[in-house]
Amino acid sequence: TLTDDVDNTRLDKNLYFTDAARFPLDKVLNEFVEHKGTGRLMQYNVETKDIKVLMQGLHFANGVAVGPDDAYVLVNETAAYRVMRYWLKGEKAGTSEVFIDNLPGLADNISYSENTRRFWLALYSPRVASLDELAAKPDWMKKLALRLPSFLQPQPPHKAWVLALDLDGKVVANLKDDS
């Protein structure tokens, strides 16, 4: 329902993109509140026109970046506060693992810079305590929260925030502007 981001490999004819959620953009808060993991990472081959689902069950798959030498692709799991790595080559090909976990905010996009050999991760907002608390609540409470008037529903504050990550997922720069 919500195709979000795309990146391409440099050495072959594949595109990687996310289907972030089962809800349209105007209902995106539902994905965070329900916290059911309906996002997917997919691969599209421009020559064969084949589409493959590489990962599913992602908590708002928002942002994709192909790594160096097309060895892997990273995908943000915004509602889980982490970035996942899906291996495209080598002995781990076809498997996934956490690249960085416990992010301080909601990941919005990610890109790779060949020049700096860094991933640049944009954070849309700091973590929202009410969203974290709702994630563990029963479904009836989540549905009730979504029926509240919009001004009473959890709203993430907007901040300008970017993290630079090295190839091992370590934060090497933390740039933010609270204004």
Side-chain angles (χ1 to χ4, degrees):
T1 302
L2 184 57
T3 303
D4 187 86
D5 195 17
V6 65
D7 197 8
N8 62 286
T9 48
R10 292 142 196 86
L11 304 175
D12 60 26
K13 302 288 185 187
N14 288 312
L15 300 175
Y16 296 88
F17 65 100
T18 58
D19 179 19
R22 72 179 181 99
F23 295 98
L25 192 55
D26 65 332
K27 301 279 187 202
V28 77
L29 181 62
N30 294 26
E31 186 75 16
F32 288 82
V33 172
E34 283 190 1
H35 206 69
K36 296 201 187 270
T38 64
R40 302 180 293 172
L41 172 65
M42 296 187 278
Q43 176 190 62
Y44 174 72
N45 186 286
V46 297
E47 290 178 340
T48 66
K49 311 285 190 242
D50 288 336
I51 296 176
K52 292 181 192 172
V53 175
L54 303 178
M55 295 177 72
Q56 55 190 358
L58 299 171
H59 290 88
F60 201 74
N62 181 11
V64 175
V66 176
D69 303 320
D70 297 345
Y72 54 87
V73 61
L74 299 184
V75 59
N76 295 343
E77 239 188 315
T78 303
Y81 303 110
R82 67 183 176 193
V83 178
M84 298 296 293
R85 174 173 24 206
Y86 182 87
W87 288 95
L88 301 171
K89 295 180 179 177
E91 62 187 44
K92 293 184 180 181
T95 66
S96 62
E97 63 191 14
V98 174
F99 184 70
I100 184 171
D101 202 3
N102 201 23
L103 291 169
L106 300 168
D108 188 25
N109 205 338
I110 190 165
S111 60
Y112 177 68
S113 168
E114 195 70 52
N115 293 339
T116 62
R117 296 189 57 79
R118 300 280 186 258
F119 289 95
W120 294 92
L121 177 66
L123 300 176
Y124 170 80
S125 164
R127 289 179 85 133
V128 180
S130 57
L131 284 176
D132 289 348
E133 291 169 16
L134 269 174
K137 300 292 184 198
D139 285 349
W140 69 267
M141 288 184 83
K142 294 174 184 180
K143 289 177 184 173
L144 181 63
L146 290 170
R147 288 190 177 107
L148 293 171
S150 60
F151 72 92
L152 291 175
Q153 293 179 1
Q155 297 297 323
H158 299 272
K159 306 284 182 181
W161 198 349
V162 178
L163 299 177
L165 308 173
D166 69 12
L167 299 180
D168 296 317
K170 305 288 185 246
V171 176
V172 294
N174 183 347
L175 312 169
K176 62 181 165 177
D177 182 356
D178 290 333
S179 65

